């Protein structure tokens, strides 16, 4: 069987049966296309364990991150295991493929005073009434206030918001739905944006492109359609980059919110629920961030440090 045909069928399986996120499915499909090109093979039978190892070795020599190589390993192992189960190949070459150990890196976190100052400045700009400023302020307050992913905030519809209860219903990874809380500052920013900013942006929508006009979307782009994750990333990065240095996008707000919750005494499992993590182990990385901060404070303040 041709690799591209099998890879397309596998991508459909990941999306419909395993219900992985569209971003994960695209990444796995891209990995398999790269494998096919690297091995110069057209059929599944043309790829064995040696070809798989050579493919990963090429990625290592290019300097790809460990996380990228680990994902590629997972994509290849899952694909060939699935192909073997469905009788497309006689032997599974990926069963002996070993992924490199991932290095643990602490996420980039902004301090509460830095974020308070940034959000106060955005609030002052939004008070002038510019619809983009109103939207951007509401966007950052929502991201930080609820610790949601950028894809989740861009997917919000008006019916997902409950400003009275200060909650939002989001669709996370694996199409898992959860309800997240947010605070009073996010409520005020959202209310101002929905009343004074969003109608202006909505009026810019092209009637002939109704499928992109996003009638119910909370966050809109400059042309009235649903705001994309890339646009949201740019908004956040432009604000945080001067404060944190280097790349700092919406995930920095998510990391910061999780860390600040734990610093404030929040239960780890409650933070897991808010973040939508399937495993508690994923959430535990934020306890390391808090410990690092605690140690730094101790070193600065304690006379016997």
């Amino acid at each position: 069987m041709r690799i591209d045909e099998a890879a397309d069928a596998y991508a459909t399986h990941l999306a419909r049966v395993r219900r992985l996120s569209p971003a994960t499915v695209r990444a796995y499909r891209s990995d398999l296309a790269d494998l096919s090109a690297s091995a110069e093979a057209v059929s599944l039978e043309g790829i064995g364990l040696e070809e798989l190892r050579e493919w990963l070795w090429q990625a290592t020599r290019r300097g790809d991150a460990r996380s990228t190589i680990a994902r590629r390993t997972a994509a290849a192992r899952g694909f060939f295991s699935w192909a073997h189960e469905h009788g497309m190949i006689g032997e599974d070459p990926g069963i002996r493929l070993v992924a490199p150990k991932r290095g643990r890196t602490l996420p980039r976190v902004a301090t509460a005073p830095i974020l308070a100052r940034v959000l106060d400045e955005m609030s002052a700009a939004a008070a002038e009434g510019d619809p983009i400023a109103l939207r951007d302020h509401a966007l950052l307050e929502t991201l930080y206030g609820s610790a949601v992913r950028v894809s989740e905030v861009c997917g919000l519809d008006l019916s997902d918001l409950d400003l009275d209860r200060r909650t939002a219903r989001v669709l996370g990874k694996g199409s898992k739905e959860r309800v997240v809380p947010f605070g009073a500052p996010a409520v005020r920013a959202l209310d101002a944006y929905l009343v004074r900013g969003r109608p202006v942006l909505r009026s810019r929508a092209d009637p002939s492109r109704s499928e992109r006009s996003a009638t119910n979307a909370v966050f809109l782009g400059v042309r009235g359609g649903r705001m994309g994750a890339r646009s949201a990333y740019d908004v956040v990065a432009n604000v945080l980059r001067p404060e944190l240095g280097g790349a700092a996008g919406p995930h920095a707000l998510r990391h910061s919110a999780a860390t600040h919750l734990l610093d404030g005494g929040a239960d780890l499992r409650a933070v897991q629920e808010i973040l939508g993590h399937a495993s508690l182990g994923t959430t535990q990385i934020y306890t390391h961030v808090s410990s690092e901060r605690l140690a730094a404070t101790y070193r600065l303040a304690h006379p016997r440090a």
Side-chain angles (χ1 to χ4, degrees):
M1 186 174 186
R2 290 178 58 90
I3 293 178
D4 55 353
E5 294 175 352
D8 287 340
Y10 181 59
T12 301
H13 165 77
L14 294 177
R16 295 181 179 177
V17 179
R18 294 189 56 191
R19 300 177 69 85
L20 299 186
S21 71
T24 301
V25 173
R26 285 195 300 271
Y28 278 25
R29 184 64 185 86
S30 175
D31 289 338
L32 295 175
D34 186 74
L35 169 61
S36 176
S38 171
E40 298 181 351
V42 175
S43 66
L44 285 173
E45 291 77 8
I47 298 180
L49 180 59
E50 290 305 313
E51 285 76 18
L52 290 174
R53 286 174 172 169
E54 174 62 24
W55 174 55
L56 294 181
W57 174 239
Q58 290 176 7
T60 302
R61 285 187 296 183
R62 281 198 307 268
D64 289 2
R66 285 187 179 183
S67 58
T68 300
I69 298 174
R71 189 201 66 221
R72 290 188 163 212
T73 306
R77 292 187 63 173
F79 172 61
F80 284 101
S81 175
W82 171 84
H84 182 252
E85 289 177 3
H86 287 75
M88 299 177 186
I89 50 177
E91 295 183 2
D92 178 4
I95 197 169
R96 289 163 52 197
L97 194 65
V98 179
K101 292 184 178 180
R102 296 192 183 191
R104 179 178 287 264
T105 57
L106 296 180
R108 185 185 296 270
V109 172
T111 65
I114 285 178
L115 287 178
R117 176 166 51 78
V118 166
L119 292 169
D120 284 346
E121 291 173 356
M122 296 189 76
S123 177
E128 301 295 324
D130 177 72
I132 298 299
L134 286 162
R135 181 204 64 188
D136 292 351
H137 180 223
L139 176 69
L140 264 78
E141 286 283 11
T142 303
L143 284 166
Y144 176 53
S146 61
V148 295
R149 301 176 178 92
V150 65
S151 59
E152 294 169 346
V153 80
C154 290
L156 282 174
D157 287 334
L158 295 174
S159 58
D160 295 325
L161 292 179
D162 188 334
L163 298 186
D164 292 332
R165 295 185 177 181
R166 299 181 185 176
T167 60
R169 184 175 65 248
V170 298
L171 196 63
K173 289 185 176 181
S175 298
K176 294 179 181 178
E177 187 178 279
R178 70 185 190 282
V179 175
V180 295
F182 48 83
V187 171
R188 291 192 293 269
L190 281 166
D191 185 60
Y193 161 66
L194 294 175
V195 173
R196 296 188 287 136
R198 187 182 181 281
V200 178
L201 297 178
R202 176 74 184 129
S203 68
R204 300 175 183 175
D206 185 348
S208 65
R209 303 175 69 184
S210 57
E211 74 281 4
R212 298 186 61 187
S213 62
T215 304
N216 298 316
V218 172
F219 292 102
L220 303 179
V222 293
R223 297 182 180 178
R226 184 183 295 274
M227 190 178 196
R230 181 72 248 182
S231 297
Y233 180 96
D234 290 341
V235 169
V236 178
N238 289 336
V239 173
L240 293 187
R241 191 179 294 119
E243 301 294 337
L244 300 183
H251 234 57
L253 290 176
R254 181 170 160 87
H255 294 325
S256 301
T259 303
H260 297 164
L261 281 167
L262 290 170
D263 285 345
D267 177 74
L268 187 61
R269 288 202 175 273
V271 176
Q272 177 192 3
E273 290 294 325
I274 292 172
L275 296 175
H277 286 161
S279 168
L280 187 63
T282 307
T283 314
Q284 284 177 327
I285 189 174
Y286 297 106
T287 64
H288 293 281
V289 177
S290 295
S291 297
E292 285 291 316
R293 287 178 144 199
L294 187 62
T297 301
Y298 178 88
R299 287 192 296 269
L300 287 173
H302 198 286
R304 307 286 286 185

